[in-house]
Amino acid sequence: MRGQYIRSARAKKRCNHAHSRPTLCCGVPRIFLTAPLSYGAVAFHLGQCKKLLRYVKLATSSMPTGDPWLSSPDDPATVPVPLPVIIVSVEGPYTEQDRKLWTFLLHAVWDELGEKVIHEIPIREITRIFRDLRGRHHTDWIWESAERLADTRVRWIRTEGDKRYKGVGHLFSAETEDERREGGTLRFNFPPLLVPILKDPRRFARLRTHFLIELSGKYSVTLYELLESVANKEVPELRASVEELRQWLKVPEGKLLRWQDLRRYVLEPAVRQINDNPTGAGFRVRMKVVKESRAITGVVFEVLKTKERQAFDAKLKDQEKQLHLFGVRLKTDTYAKGKAAAPGWDIYVLEAEWKEWGAQQKDWPPQNPDGAVIGFCRKRGRYPGTR
């Protein structure tokens, strides 16, 4: 029964081989088409479409991985969440539990974002996941959390082409049956204006959904999210002054003013939780203090990925490269120039062949893809081709 809430099937458009310009083929951008084509060219075209579809289905940097409904160390459930440079502020009664629920629901309906306005999940299914990971048996907290999420305001910044947009809205909307909530359905949505940057965040932290749910305490949850934001940097370190750290972790004003107290009651328990389960987190963390003279002025957190995490990230990068291979966009007049450079050849066949060749190169994509593909066509133009 959960299948209908986990993955939504996408209808594939029928392949039409009579077009003379790039369109949609098999549900993905057509990479080469002219009419008529020989049997061999059609077979090659179908093979390319199948290969591209396979790449599109792979997990990329801006897509979740794993199954939010099934905890598996071999296939961790992860979801990209925009960084503060995109989600610039979240204001309201936004608790640790609310952040867990919001992240889980975002992962659970990811495939529906942009396709459905309202999402529906049986409350007992949500309860099952949180009961298994956190031992919460009652269901009232789900609606209480949904109410707080609906009262939370979010501001964001979005870039589209040369334009920059700023937006504001509530983080969540929800409704459920007034009676028998335990056996009911949670109907909810994310702000439509926010969906594009949730679906394709350009800068994000990849959160491990189940590990996040298992954490206890707002400081542990926040520190984990902060560490994930730097985990994939060239130098995976989080540096902060003591005051910045207090602000990021939202330590109440006037509380834990002494460094010894902040370290003992906030930082050390949070670091210990993460290091107690490096397989779940995907890393260990090492904390170092920064001193000026004898005063402690800041903290450096060093993220040390596990071997399993390193292998997982390497696999993601390889998959991203394959998708990026087909993501190169050429100018409109490049096709005409390429066709002139290789008379008798199908320009879209050459484009696909060039991209296949590019997959084997270290420096891909080239800085000038239009010039590169024209040069490729010029070399092919030395040999006879068929239209």
Side-chain angles (χ1 to χ4, degrees):
M1 182 171 107
R2 291 196 304 274
Q4 60 181 312
Y5 304 106
I6 299 173
R7 297 288 181 229
S8 60
R10 287 187 173 86
K12 298 177 182 177
K13 296 180 187 283
R14 180 175 298 176
C15 183
N16 181 348
H17 299 281
H19 289 266
S20 59
R21 58 186 177 85
T23 58
L24 283 178
C25 176
C26 304
V28 296
R30 184 182 305 278
I31 51 180
F32 58 91
L33 286 179
T34 55
L37 295 178
S38 67
Y39 176 80
V42 170
F44 177 66
H45 168 64
L46 289 174
Q48 292 295 101
C49 286
K50 290 178 181 178
K51 181 180 294 186
L52 183 52
L53 276 172
R54 184 170 68 251
Y55 291 152
V56 169
K57 290 177 181 177
L58 292 174
T60 69
S61 61
S62 60
M63 291 180 64
T65 69
D67 187 340
W69 300 100
L70 181 64
S71 179
S72 169
D74 297 327
D75 187 17
T78 72
V79 62
V81 176
L83 287 176
V85 293
I86 298 175
I87 303 293
V88 293
S89 71
V90 180
E91 305 166 355
Y94 193 42
T95 70
E96 158 215 347
Q97 193 63 43
D98 306 338
R99 287 148 69 181
K100 294 177 180 181
L101 179 64
W102 188 87
T103 301
F104 172 76
L105 294 177
L106 175 66
H107 195 165
V109 301
W110 183 275
D111 285 347
E112 298 178 358
L113 292 176
E115 296 182 3
K116 294 179 65 175
V117 177
I118 305 297
H119 313 285
E120 298 185 0
I121 298 180
I123 289 177
R124 66 166 61 92
E125 295 297 317
I126 303 173
T127 304
R128 180 186 63 81
I129 292 294
F130 281 79
R131 182 184 64 241
D132 293 346
L133 296 173
R134 288 290 298 140
R136 301 188 69 124
H137 293 273
H138 68 89
T139 59
D140 290 342
W141 71 269
I142 294 178
W143 180 248
E144 294 167 0
S145 183
E147 286 186 311
R148 288 191 296 270
L149 287 170
D151 287 336
T152 299
R153 178 182 292 183
V154 60
R155 299 178 186 274
W156 65 85
I157 292 176
R158 179 173 64 87
T159 302
E160 185 176 307
D162 297 330
K163 291 185 178 181
R164 194 165 181 255
Y165 299 88
K166 62 180 181 180
V168 62
H170 287 279
L171 198 57
F172 196 72
S173 297
E175 73 172 11
T176 188
E177 296 89 339
D178 194 41
E179 303 292 336
R180 298 179 63 239
R181 288 177 184 163
E182 182 175 353
T185 299
L186 182 68
R187 303 179 71 244
F188 61 95
N189 82 333
F190 298 93
L193 291 176
L194 185 60
V195 166
I197 62 177
L198 291 179
K199 190 74 173 180
D200 186 22
R202 301 305 168 92
R203 297 181 66 182
F204 59 87
R206 179 173 290 282
L207 302 183
R208 296 199 165 202
T209 308
H210 299 132
F211 178 75
L212 181 71
I213 294 174
E214 290 176 334
L215 291 173
S216 62
K218 65 176 183 178
Y219 300 130
S220 299
V221 169
T222 305
L223 182 62
Y224 166 66
E225 292 174 340
L226 290 170
L227 294 174
E228 275 293 357
S229 72
V230 301
N232 290 319
K233 288 187 174 181
E234 186 174 347
V235 179
E237 291 182 348
L238 177 68
R239 293 177 174 268
S241 67
V242 173
E243 189 55 37
E244 285 175 331
L245 203 55
R246 290 177 60 86
Q247 292 176 1
W248 293 348
L249 296 175
K250 293 183 170 55
V251 178
E253 291 186 18
K255 302 291 185 180
L256 305 174
L257 297 178
R258 296 194 314 156
W259 163 252
Q260 294 89 335
D261 294 335
L262 182 67
R263 180 170 187 165
R264 179 180 179 184
Y265 297 110
V266 175
L267 301 181
E268 288 182 347
V271 169
R272 190 181 306 117
Q273 272 203 63
I274 294 171
N275 287 340
D276 282 347
N277 185 10
T279 300
F283 60 79
R284 292 179 176 84
V285 57
R286 182 183 299 156
M287 183 175 68
K288 302 177 182 178
V289 298
V290 178
K291 292 183 178 181
E292 289 185 6
S293 297
R294 301 181 66 178
I296 295 174
T297 59
V299 185
V300 177
F301 297 95
E302 183 180 0
V303 176
L304 308 169
K305 291 184 181 181
T306 62
K307 291 182 179 180
E308 294 80 8
R309 171 69 176 269
Q310 291 173 6
F312 175 78
D313 289 350
K315 180 180 178 182
L316 277 182
K317 287 182 179 180
D318 182 60
Q319 293 170 350
E320 290 165 26
K321 180 181 178 182
Q322 296 292 353
L323 262 178
H324 195 45
L325 167 70
F326 290 93
V328 175
R329 296 289 181 266
L330 301 175
K331 297 177 182 178
T332 304
D333 61 353
T334 298
Y335 292 93
K337 293 178 181 178
K339 188 176 293 186
W345 282 90
D346 185 311
I347 184 59
Y348 298 111
V349 170
L350 292 183
E351 179 190 8
E353 187 179 340
W354 171 68
K355 290 181 176 181
E356 283 287 334
W357 169 82
Q360 312 303 321
Q361 310 308 307
K362 293 182 179 180
D363 299 326
W364 183 268
Q367 293 183 353
N368 180 13
D370 298 277
V373 74
I374 291 172
F376 183 86
C377 291
R378 190 172 292 114
K379 291 180 180 179
R380 278 288 183 267
R382 299 172 185 171
Y383 307 97
T386 56
R387 295 182 181 276

